[in-house]
Amino acid sequence: MGGELRYEIEQNAYIKLVLHALKHKTSAVNGVLLGRFSGEDTSNPVVEVVDSVPLFHSQIGLLPPLEIALIMIEEYYASQGLSIVGYFHANERFDDFELGNVAKNIGDHINRYFPQAALLLLDNKKLEALAKGKDRNPVMQLYTKDATRSWKLVGSGGGNQLSIKEPSANILLLDYISSEKWQDIADFDNHLDDISK
């Protein structure tokens, strides 16, 4: 590979993850990133995050429901040519900016099958500042595996390695926040309670 690996997240995948975190403000939440790797033979390799699936808002580290969810997601999205390319995590506390062991362990599992996997951690300070400015950067921190096989924060909050495909995504996100669209988000926990969700 010639160039630096970049991660590009589409608007719907991005907004779905942030709204999931806002729906469950007092709980840790997680989700998976779905997409594809492109540009293997070019100087601009990109992991394209096309969609996301909100997973859990309670007992996020419980292995059996996680395994069931990952199997169902892989089977469903494989027919669309997508695979699991990363993991999203939002911590329980507003002021917690650490990537915890649960997130690292799930990220390690995904990384075994997709070596370019990313971990995205919601940055509540960026989310809070979003309403005050016109920032086009994602409200997430990007973590990738380094040479020592440890998860490391990329740049200062992701730099240019993590970008949103549509420049107006944060404007739409603010609109969705003001209209409380997070009420419409259903995660895998909700699906286990009510299969119609």
Side-chain angles (χ1 to χ4, degrees):
M1 278 188 218
E4 189 175 49
L5 180 62
R6 293 182 309 105
Y7 297 83
E8 185 176 80
I9 186 167
E10 289 192 10
Q11 177 176 279
N12 290 340
Y14 170 71
I15 289 174
K16 202 184 308 182
L17 294 171
V18 177
L19 292 180
H20 181 227
L22 290 172
K23 182 175 182 177
H24 304 285
K25 292 179 184 178
T26 59
S27 301
V29 301
N30 63 1
V32 291
L33 313 174
L34 297 141
R36 62 183 71 87
F37 181 62
S38 65
E40 296 172 339
D41 302 327
T42 71
S43 61
N44 293 323
V46 178
V47 174
E48 299 171 356
V49 180
V50 176
D51 202 352
S52 62
V53 176
L55 289 177
F56 303 105
H57 62 270
S58 65
Q59 302 172 357
I60 63 172
L62 218 52
L63 195 55
L66 178 64
E67 287 178 337
I68 293 167
L70 293 177
I71 289 168
M72 290 177 71
I73 291 166
E74 286 173 346
E75 286 179 5
Y76 180 80
Y77 283 95
S79 64
Q80 300 174 31
L82 301 176
S83 59
I84 296 174
V85 297
Y87 174 77
F88 169 78
H89 188 87
N91 287 321
E92 184 175 10
R93 290 190 347 262
F94 182 83
D95 60 347
D96 186 356
F97 300 102
E98 294 297 316
L99 191 63
N101 287 333
V102 170
K104 289 176 185 175
N105 290 339
I106 295 171
D108 287 343
H109 176 77
I110 293 169
N111 183 263
R112 270 179 267 183
Y113 300 97
F114 187 75
Q116 300 86 2
L119 282 180
L120 299 180
L121 179 67
L122 181 68
D123 186 329
N124 285 310
K125 284 186 182 173
K126 286 183 180 179
L127 182 58
E128 186 179 50
L130 194 60
K132 299 174 186 130
K134 292 186 169 38
D135 194 359
R136 292 181 175 200
N137 294 316
V139 294
M140 300 171 182
Q141 298 174 349
L142 170 66
Y143 288 81
T144 59
K145 288 272 187 157
D146 65 7
T148 65
R149 306 291 300 144
S150 300
W151 291 104
K152 295 291 182 201
L153 179 63
V154 176
S156 58
N160 348 349
Q161 280 189 263
L162 175 64
S163 62
I164 307 170
K165 187 171 185 178
E166 297 83 358
S168 61
N170 281 336
I171 295 166
L172 185 60
L173 176 60
L174 285 172
D175 182 48
Y176 282 4
I177 291 170
S178 67
S179 60
E180 298 185 3
K181 285 275 192 202
W182 62 74
Q183 301 296 343
D184 301 336
I185 298 292
D187 61 14
F188 202 76
D189 268 338
N190 300 129
H191 175 72
L192 292 175
D193 292 336
D194 178 356
I195 199 165
S196 69
K197 294 183 179 180

